[in-house]
Amino acid sequence: MDHYLKANWHSQTPETVLTHFGVELGQGLSSEEAQKRLATSGANRLTARRGKGPLLLLLAQFHQPLIYILLFSAATTAFLEEWTDSSVIFGVVIINAVIGFVQEANALKAINALAQTLNISSNVLRDGQRRSIAAAELVPGDLVFLQSGDKVPADLRLLQSRELKIDESALTGESVPVEKQAQTLPSATLLADRANMAYSSTLVSYGSALAVVVSTGDNTEIGRINKLIGSAEPLETPLTLKMSQFSQLLLWVIIGCAAITFAVGVWRGETMLDMFMASVALAVGAIPEGLPAALTITLAIGVSRMAKRNAIIRKLPAVETLGSTTVICSDKTGTLTQNQMTVQFVQAGSEIFEVSGSGYTPDGEFTNHNQAVDPSLKPALLECLKAGLLCNDARLIADTDNWRIEGDPTEAALLVAAHKAGLHQASVSGDHPRLDAIPFESAYQFMATLHHNLAEDARHIYLKGSLESLLQRCDKAFSADMRLVPLDKNGLNQQAEAFGRTRLESPGFCAR
């Protein structure tokens, strides 16, 4: 199936792609055909780079210029029967090797454990039936169902799409979910703009779709990146470069001093044997055998502190490189940050409320003029938060030790803010079942949902979106006591600009 690999699937119609892979839209592949293709294309997983075995990993700890000098000095002092000095130097070398070996072995173990967590399952159509299989069993031509919260298991050509948005930050670094559709695109369309393609390792944040697998394993875009990383030459850190230069300089200085001492002693009439012994003693004494141990212990402490912050350091010298970094440049939210949006201010009923807390943990309080506020006593605030909760397609999920979201980060921030006020998604949605919805479109900059308010037996439309799009559709607002009053559009625009100048998140504006 090598002819599957280089086609520009985004520039071909869905019908052409299905014909090429010999699959029917309502039937999918047969189990027998899937097994044949699996034997040909291989499992849908990235080829792991072959690492060093335990013995090579241990021997690599001795592959350092300064360690060579220490080993030479240990051998020399042993030859001279200076057993105490020889034992101390050799002990330093062994301790250095053991610490480096344990650290790198633990890092590799952690990385392998992390890779195991990436094993996922996929919903596919086979033999005319929808079934769940391991993603590793996917083959080119499989029909895959995608929905919110799914991880894309392979490179896919979209066949049908319903309001699909995919977080492609793992591939492109772009943290904002990308809107997808199934329409054919020009052949010259760049990878990041191929809206009819879904790529392996990306995450579905919204909507649903049906797609056909076009590439698996190492033939995916993420697999190509993996190959490039595997072929990259390892670079030395500034610390290892400086230590190598220092070791070479030290070696020549010690040899030079020993040679001068030997020559001067012989010139003054000393015996060659005595001067040789004196020169060797000088060389051994000049070697800083405590330097590797001090460096290793210092770096090990740094690695330990990084590990407590959930940062995996594979090689000890990398800690020094990270510690000496003075400027980090990044142009993408989510590359160095956690990409967790947080509501910090809410304007409702002509009042401004500050919201504490960060991330997706629903812990925080509302304050007004630095005074704590009970949201249940602020009906306009509750109504605004309710709008953000109901006009929302994200989900807030409580795991064992943290909170996570499924869906768009901005919508998740609105959910978290509502939870902080005691409005929970399940109960509020139960009291206001959704009847219909207008999904968010970039051309209109808003989303609307229709709900049945069971308590009032009335239908309400909740709307959320950009300030500009909503102000065009509103002429009244709720006051603090929920009376309808004329909408102060200029005041809202000025307040939005004020929030923008503080470099904080702009407040959401919700209307009913």
Side-chain angles (χ1 to χ4, degrees):
M1 296 187 181
D2 291 342
H3 61 289
Y4 293 161
L5 309 183
K6 299 180 181 179
N8 292 326
W9 304 113
H10 62 278
S11 63
Q12 300 184 25
T13 64
E15 294 77 14
T16 302
V17 177
L18 290 173
T19 301
H20 186 90
F21 284 102
V23 59
E24 296 182 15
L25 186 60
Q27 187 69 19
L29 294 176
S30 66
S31 299
E32 294 78 9
E33 178 63 22
Q35 288 300 319
K36 293 178 182 178
R37 297 191 183 190
L38 184 62
T40 303
S41 62
N44 178 34
R45 61 169 62 97
L46 300 182
T47 301
R49 286 182 290 166
R50 187 174 180 179
K52 299 175 182 177
L55 180 59
L56 289 178
L57 194 62
L58 179 61
L59 293 178
Q61 309 305 317
F62 297 94
H63 184 51
Q64 302 176 36
L66 198 58
I67 298 299
Y68 292 153
I69 297 176
L70 290 177
L71 289 173
F72 173 76
S73 63
T76 304
T77 51
F79 175 75
L80 298 176
E81 299 184 353
E82 298 289 344
W83 304 116
T84 301
D85 291 345
S86 177
S87 300
V88 170
I89 296 173
F90 190 70
V92 168
V93 173
I94 293 298
I95 292 173
N96 176 81
V98 169
I99 293 177
F101 173 79
V102 171
Q103 168 58 30
E104 191 162 349
N106 287 338
L108 289 174
K109 186 184 298 182
I111 292 173
N112 291 334
L114 185 62
Q116 292 299 319
T117 65
L118 300 180
N119 295 328
I120 57 176
S121 60
S122 301
N123 292 315
V124 301
L125 185 67
R126 283 190 180 174
D127 300 314
Q129 296 181 346
R130 181 167 177 165
R131 62 181 65 174
S132 178
I133 66 171
E137 298 177 11
L138 287 177
V139 296
D142 260 326
L143 297 183
V144 178
F145 296 95
L146 296 177
Q147 60 185 16
S148 179
D150 285 350
K151 190 168 187 178
V152 179
D155 284 1
L156 312 174
R157 169 62 164 93
L158 300 179
L159 304 174
Q160 299 172 359
S161 175
R162 180 177 173 81
E163 304 167 14
L164 184 67
K165 294 182 182 180
I166 296 182
D167 177 1
E168 295 185 335
S169 57
L171 185 65
T172 65
E174 178 58 62
S175 63
V176 178
V178 179
E179 295 183 9
K180 297 290 186 176
Q181 45 83 20
Q183 296 178 0
T184 304
L185 298 173
S187 179
T189 305
L190 297 177
L191 184 144
D193 298 325
R194 296 174 185 173
N196 58 9
M197 298 288 295
Y199 294 103
S200 177
S201 79
T202 59
L203 185 68
V204 179
S205 60
Y206 185 77
S208 60
L210 175 65
V212 59
V213 176
V214 295
S215 297
T216 60
D218 291 334
N219 299 319
T220 61
E221 290 296 331
I222 202 71
R224 189 172 67 87
I225 294 175
N226 185 58
K227 289 179 182 178
L228 292 175
I229 294 175
S231 62
E233 293 293 330
L235 299 177
E236 293 189 18
T237 67
L239 177 62
T240 55
L241 288 172
K242 290 178 182 178
M243 288 303 301
S244 178
Q245 296 170 359
F246 173 74
S247 300
Q248 293 179 14
L249 176 63
L250 182 64
L251 176 63
W252 289 112
V253 169
I254 291 175
I255 292 176
C257 291
I260 293 174
T261 300
F262 179 81
V264 171
V266 172
W267 177 67
R268 295 188 60 181
E270 301 291 340
T271 65
M272 296 183 65
L273 179 59
D274 289 342
M275 291 316 302
F276 174 76
M277 298 296 290
S279 299
V280 170
L282 174 63
V284 172
I287 294 175
E289 58 270 5
L291 180 59
L295 280 174
T296 300
I297 293 172
T298 302
L299 294 176
I301 293 173
V303 168
S304 176
R305 291 179 177 176
M306 293 291 286
K308 292 178 180 178
R309 296 176 179 267
N310 299 320
I312 301 174
I313 304 296
R314 180 176 175 182
K315 293 184 179 294
L316 289 176
V319 178
E320 184 271 344
T321 306
L322 184 61
S324 61
T325 302
T326 55
V327 177
I328 297 177
C329 300
S330 173
D331 68 337
K332 298 292 183 185
T333 302
T335 304
L336 296 178
T337 62
Q338 293 182 329
N339 192 26
Q340 294 185 355
M341 305 291 285
T342 304
V343 173
Q344 296 179 317
F345 292 95
V346 179
Q347 179 170 340
S350 301
E351 295 181 292
I352 297 175
F353 303 92
E354 186 171 355
V355 189
S356 63
S358 62
Y360 295 142
T361 302
D363 294 331
E365 63 177 10
F366 291 78
T367 57
N368 185 3
H369 300 295
N370 297 322
Q371 297 293 323
V373 171
D374 183 356
S376 64
L377 302 179
K378 298 289 183 178
L381 172 61
L382 283 181
E383 193 65 24
C384 184
L385 294 173
K386 185 193 297 182
L389 185 148
L390 292 174
C391 188
N392 202 311
D393 287 312
R395 288 199 304 158
L396 183 64
I397 301 172
D399 284 338
T400 304
D401 55 353
N402 66 346
W403 292 78
R404 62 182 178 87
I405 62 110
E406 288 183 357
D408 184 80
T410 304
E411 290 192 335
L414 299 178
L415 283 184
V416 174
H419 274 248
K420 291 176 181 178
L423 299 176
H424 298 287
Q425 193 171 21
S427 59
V428 176
S429 298
D431 295 336
H432 302 75
R434 182 186 294 190
L435 303 178
D436 204 350
I438 299 176
F440 180 88
E441 292 287 347
S442 57
Y444 303 109
Q445 295 293 315
F446 73 84
M447 172 184 177
T449 54
L450 173 64
H451 297 264
H452 181 199
N453 188 326
L454 299 179
E456 301 178 10
D457 192 21
R459 294 189 175 188
H460 294 157
I461 294 177
Y462 288 92
L463 193 71
K464 81 169 188 295
S466 68
L467 185 62
E468 295 81 5
S469 66
L470 297 191
L471 290 182
Q472 295 175 5
R473 296 168 171 83
C474 298
D475 57 6
K476 288 183 174 57
F478 284 125
S479 64
D481 56 359
M482 293 298 290
R483 290 182 297 104
L484 285 176
V485 297
L487 182 64
D488 182 7
K489 297 184 179 182
N490 290 332
L492 287 174
N493 281 317
Q494 292 175 3
Q495 187 59 61
E497 293 177 1
F499 283 135
R501 286 193 296 270
T502 64
R503 296 178 178 268
L504 299 173
E505 297 291 343
S506 297
F509 181 80
C510 305
R512 187 181 79 167

